[in-house]
Amino acid sequence: VRMLFSFFTVHRATILSAAKYTTPFSLRKYSHPSDFLALHQAVCYTARRRMPVLFSLQIYILEISASMKSSLFLTSSPCAPAPETLAAPFVMSEENGFLALLRQRLCASPRLLLIASDPGQSTWNDRMLEDFILGFRASGFENAVGLMLDERDSTPLSALLDVSDLVLLCGGHVPTQNRYFARLRLGQALRSYEGVILGISAGSMNAATTVYAQPEEPGESLDPDYDRFPPGLGLTDVHILPHLNM
């Protein structure tokens, strides 16, 4: 633990390179020695390659790149508890001005395109789509509509992007989603996309040029063939390690 805090102190400028978009990070999630080891590996790897890394809470980063026409939000989760008076599972969070920024960029009737983390989990994907439509409607986007892109939809990706105001990169298992994104050639397609891109958890992690896919499923940390650093969408050089407040 002392080594980690010393490392954070020395490399604070690298780790918090996106600090103007964030609140200070916390280590509350990490309580087991293996958690600290994984965290240390991530920090050391990104520092050696001089990669900016953000250990995020409910953090929102807004990047508007000269090479992209879209607005990119990277989050652990964009959701906040819904008031009891609303029939919605959650609302969009107002933390760090996130909801206000969304309202600046979206009309009252946004067309949402959710891209699954696991294209084969149709029941889960349908539930997520329904929840996010309700969540957006409860957040002031009264006429929000949406579509889930998974293995059931054979519509060309370019056609879906053309009619979408917001692309939501869902949370889930990072390697599974990474492979699906690669199969879709999503990174290339998003280069000319002019709407809002919202990453959630794994979706934020896979937005990076090179992803740090921290092992999370049983056996992954011991698998010699497990790829911890697959290529991502190339939307940002910032690496997200989400849910640090859990």
Side-chain angles (χ1 to χ4, degrees):
V1 174
R2 184 177 300 126
M3 175 181 63
L4 279 171
F5 274 105
S6 174
F7 192 96
F8 287 150
T9 301
V10 174
H11 295 276
R12 184 177 181 84
T14 300
I15 296 172
L16 298 183
S17 61
K20 64 181 179 179
Y21 301 118
T22 74
T23 55
F25 63 84
S26 162
L27 291 176
R28 283 178 294 168
K29 172 183 176 182
Y30 295 90
S31 58
H32 189 274
S34 63
D35 294 331
F36 280 104
L37 177 60
L39 181 62
H40 178 254
Q41 290 174 341
V43 172
C44 289
Y45 174 81
T46 53
R48 285 198 304 269
R49 294 198 174 190
R50 298 186 181 276
M51 295 177 175
V53 56
L54 177 65
F55 299 88
S56 71
L57 307 175
Q58 297 287 96
I59 302 296
Y60 309 99
I61 305 173
L62 169 62
E63 294 193 347
I64 303 178
S65 170
S67 62
M68 294 175 58
K69 301 178 181 179
S70 57
S71 297
L72 174 63
F73 293 88
L74 303 178
T75 80
S76 286
S77 170
C79 308
E84 294 182 359
T85 55
L86 295 178
F90 50 76
V91 294
M92 296 298 102
S93 175
E94 297 184 23
E95 185 179 347
N96 293 343
F98 173 66
L99 180 55
L101 290 170
L102 272 186
R103 286 172 175 164
Q104 292 174 14
R105 290 162 174 79
L106 295 174
C107 65
S109 306
R111 297 163 296 180
L112 315 178
L113 175 61
L114 280 68
I115 303 183
S117 59
D118 187 339
Q121 295 292 327
S122 57
T123 300
W124 172 257
N125 294 339
D126 287 344
R127 178 180 175 183
M128 182 171 290
L129 174 62
E130 179 182 359
D131 285 352
F132 270 95
I133 290 176
L134 292 174
F136 268 85
R137 289 177 178 176
S139 302
F141 304 98
E142 293 87 355
N143 300 311
V145 295
L147 175 69
M148 173 64 74
L149 176 57
D150 59 19
E151 66 180 12
R152 297 169 293 178
D153 197 326
S154 59
T155 307
L157 178 59
S158 59
L160 296 175
L161 293 176
D162 285 344
V163 296
S164 299
D165 302 302
L166 181 144
V167 172
L168 193 153
L169 310 175
C170 295
H173 185 237
V174 176
T176 300
Q177 184 186 60
N178 186 276
R179 290 190 292 268
Y180 184 48
F181 285 178
R183 198 170 85 203
L184 292 173
R185 297 184 179 179
L186 181 59
Q188 181 178 356
L190 289 177
R191 289 295 174 184
S192 57
Y193 177 65
E194 299 185 5
V196 173
I197 302 172
L198 172 57
I200 300 177
S201 189
S204 293
M205 296 173 73
N206 277 316
T209 300
T210 300
V211 179
Y212 177 67
Q214 183 176 348
E216 55 181 306
E217 294 294 327
E220 287 181 343
S221 62
L222 301 177
D223 183 355
D225 296 322
Y226 180 78
D227 187 2
R228 285 172 167 80
F229 309 108
L233 297 178
L235 302 179
T236 179
D237 290 328
V238 176
H239 294 252
I240 301 292
L241 287 181
H243 310 302
L244 202 59
N245 57 329
M246 290 180 63

